[in-house]
Amino acid sequence: GPTRKMPLTASAMDFFQLFVPDNVLKNMVVQTNMYAKKYQERFGSDDAWIDVTLTEMKAFLGYMISTSIHHCESVLSIWSSGFYSNKSIALIMTQSRFEKILKYFHVVAFRSSQTSHGLYKIQPFLDSLQNGFDSAFRPSQAQVLHEPLIDEDPVFIATCTERELRKRKKRKFSLWVRQCSSTGFICQIYVHLKEGSGADGLDALKNKPQLHSMVAKSLCQNASGKNYIIFTGPSITSLNLFEEFEKQEIYCCGLLSTRKSDCTGLPPSMLNNSETPQSRGQYRIRMKGNMSLICWYNKGHFRFLTNAYSPVQQGVIIKRKSGEIPCPLAVEAFAAHLSYICKYDDKYSKYFISHKPNKTWQQVFWFAISIAINNAYILYKMSEAYHVTRYSRAQFGERLVKELLGLEDTSPSH
């Protein structure tokens, strides 16, 4: 849970600033002004540009975050006369001023001589965000590694023409997280660029299991020695990785797939489906030290690799139609934690900022801001302030937007 007690009067902004404090926003102001100056030295002066202030930077973020609540495809819709126009917040800043800030907005204006990383423009921000996550929250023992649902808004896709869909660029990165599976709080973010040379570029993508193993190690670099139980999907699950984690006192439970997983070192007899018909709930087990490979049948064969649960401990999967199906405890635990993450995706994925910039670093930045707001809401729900005001996720987002814009009326809309 949270590591610090927030006051009863804590606002949405107070929770958001646990991860994005004023000093980070002030740095964005400095870097944006530096970039604007350099840009104008190179391409000619821009008489309409005035250096951005901290108040304007907060308002700029507020406008962007408002797209996560109202799901408008373009943030400029706020100033239009259409369905997504919002006169109450459009008056804080003119559209032309917003577009100027958007043109020059930067988190790191210039590449230093030491950086070769493709995300150098936001790496300091991601590091600062990570420090905020680490210091504000202590996760439960059970955690899960996965790619959160950050797909396009289905309503927008349904109304899109084929030409518009073709014009939209595919994402050049994948975003992975380590998430506390009892609260949904995202403890760590890892961004993998799909382009570029070197160990984390296209060459690594050719070897999917090796890539996913590298992602898992990066996400768990701060988890060693804490007896965490990590749940993994088929792309990450492998015997070599789990044995390596066990040496660091990190225990695992993962779903295996003969097609997607690295099955090196596992007995072939357990990877082949038996020809004799099996009844639901039957399972076979093979063990090596603390590691168990479980093959469980339920309208198909499911394989699990674990060193976190004893294979002889019994559990049950409860189905609405067929009642209780017996299974090892590892299978029950995996299903429970997976269903929690599905609920998290259903509840929070629709609150990702829907502004779609072309630059990869900006796409990553807005995803990271969205995750920070979701985390802020989770901390708010676990605080005493929630019992005073009880905002929904949408109301919390609206409140944050109004506080960033400096509007006095911060009451939630019902």
Side-chain angles (χ1 to χ4, degrees):
T3 56
R4 69 190 78 177
K5 189 176 180 180
M6 298 293 279
L8 288 171
T9 54
S11 64
M13 187 75 163
D14 292 332
F15 287 97
F16 176 64
Q17 292 215 301
L18 291 173
F19 311 126
V20 188
D22 267 354
N23 65 322
V24 171
L25 297 175
K26 285 173 184 171
N27 181 59
M28 290 178 196
V29 170
V30 171
Q31 297 293 331
T32 299
N33 289 333
M34 281 169 59
Y35 181 79
K37 185 182 176 187
K38 195 76 177 175
Y39 185 94
Q40 289 171 50
E41 283 173 4
R42 190 172 177 186
F43 298 108
S45 64
D46 182 347
D47 296 333
W49 172 253
I50 306 163
D51 277 1
V52 70
T53 63
L54 179 61
T55 305
E56 285 182 313
M57 185 57 74
K58 286 182 178 178
F60 173 75
L61 286 180
Y63 284 126
M64 286 297 194
I65 291 165
S66 72
T67 67
S68 68
I69 306 152
H70 305 296
H71 306 294
C72 49
E73 179 55 23
S74 169
V75 69
L76 300 180
S77 306
I78 292 168
W79 291 274
S80 71
S81 55
F83 179 75
Y84 289 116
S85 67
N86 192 331
K87 295 287 182 285
S88 65
I89 65 173
L91 299 171
I92 303 296
M93 186 185 285
T94 63
Q95 181 179 338
S96 59
R97 178 59 176 164
F98 175 85
E99 288 184 89
K100 283 290 175 200
I101 298 172
L102 183 61
K103 177 181 178 180
Y104 296 122
F105 175 69
H106 266 70
V107 180
V108 174
F110 308 112
R111 183 199 292 260
S112 70
S113 54
Q114 294 89 18
T115 52
S116 58
H117 194 272
L119 288 174
Y120 76 92
K121 287 202 169 187
I122 54 161
Q123 196 57 55
F125 173 75
L126 293 177
D127 293 341
S128 164
L129 205 59
Q130 187 59 58
N131 290 335
F133 292 170
D134 290 342
S135 61
F137 185 81
R138 191 167 53 249
S140 64
Q141 183 184 28
Q143 293 161 45
V144 63
L145 307 185
H146 72 123
E147 288 183 274
L149 197 65
I150 50 174
D151 292 327
E152 304 286 5
D153 178 14
V155 177
F156 170 74
I157 291 297
T159 56
C160 232
T161 63
E162 275 190 42
R163 185 166 172 270
E164 283 175 314
L165 281 173
R166 278 200 303 272
K167 275 170 67 182
R168 294 176 74 78
K169 293 181 179 178
K170 285 188 177 178
R171 279 206 308 268
K172 294 179 181 177
F173 65 93
S174 56
L175 183 72
W176 293 77
V177 298
R178 174 163 59 86
Q179 190 168 12
C180 168
S181 58
S182 59
T183 59
F185 188 95
I186 288 176
C187 309
Q188 195 157 353
I189 302 172
Y190 177 79
V191 181
H192 172 75
L193 293 178
K194 293 178 181 176
E195 287 190 352
S197 56
D200 59 347
L202 275 176
D203 297 336
L205 263 179
K206 292 172 187 171
N207 188 342
K208 280 282 175 71
Q210 188 183 353
L211 166 70
H212 291 143
S213 173
M214 181 193 78
V215 168
K217 288 172 189 172
S218 297
L219 284 170
C220 293
Q221 61 191 4
N222 301 331
S224 60
K226 296 179 181 175
N227 287 318
Y228 287 155
I229 297 175
I230 304 290
F231 292 88
T232 62
S235 59
I236 291 177
T237 304
S238 79
L239 180 63
N240 291 338
L241 180 67
F242 283 14
E243 286 178 337
E244 198 172 319
F245 274 167
E246 190 174 356
K247 291 172 187 170
Q248 300 171 36
E249 295 177 41
I250 301 171
Y251 302 94
C252 305
C253 180
L255 183 64
L256 261 178
S257 159
T258 50
R259 197 165 48 88
K260 293 181 182 175
S261 305
D262 177 7
C263 296
T264 310
L266 298 174
S269 61
M270 291 290 283
L271 302 176
N272 300 325
N273 296 336
S274 59
E275 293 178 12
T276 54
Q278 288 184 288
S279 58
R280 294 176 76 178
Q282 278 193 316
Y283 57 89
R284 295 178 291 146
I285 297 167
R286 289 284 294 275
M287 291 183 69
K288 177 190 175 187
N290 293 330
M291 202 71 65
S292 311
L293 176 56
I294 300 164
C295 182
W296 177 68
Y297 185 81
N298 177 26
K299 290 188 179 177
H301 290 87
F302 294 88
R303 293 172 180 84
F304 297 86
L305 189 66
T306 182
N307 56 1
Y309 296 92
S310 163
V312 295
Q313 279 189 289
Q314 289 294 309
V316 286
I317 299 284
I318 299 170
K319 298 281 184 184
R320 272 182 294 189
K321 291 182 179 177
S322 48
E324 292 185 353
I325 305 165
C327 66
L329 186 62
V331 179
E332 181 190 333
F334 186 89
H337 291 293
L338 203 66
S339 70
Y340 190 92
I341 296 308
C342 291
K343 284 178 192 168
Y344 174 89
D345 280 345
D346 290 344
K347 184 173 182 180
Y348 290 106
S349 63
K350 59 176 176 279
Y351 295 110
F352 277 83
I353 292 166
S354 54
H355 171 69
K356 297 289 187 295
N358 285 330
K359 290 186 171 68
T360 299
W361 73 264
Q362 289 183 4
Q363 291 171 15
V364 175
F365 176 80
W366 296 118
F367 281 136
I369 288 282
S370 302
I371 286 172
I373 299 167
N374 284 341
N375 276 354
Y377 181 68
I378 288 166
L379 288 188
Y380 159 71
K381 280 198 78 174
M382 296 173 78
S383 75
E384 292 177 3
Y386 177 69
H387 301 294
V388 176
T389 47
R390 288 192 176 272
Y391 293 125
S392 67
R393 173 63 184 84
Q395 289 170 337
F396 183 85
E398 285 182 354
R399 172 108 187 183
L400 177 61
V401 168
K402 286 181 176 179
E403 288 173 21
L404 282 165
L405 289 166
L407 291 169
E408 286 180 0
D409 175 28
T410 53
S411 60
S413 60
H414 294 283

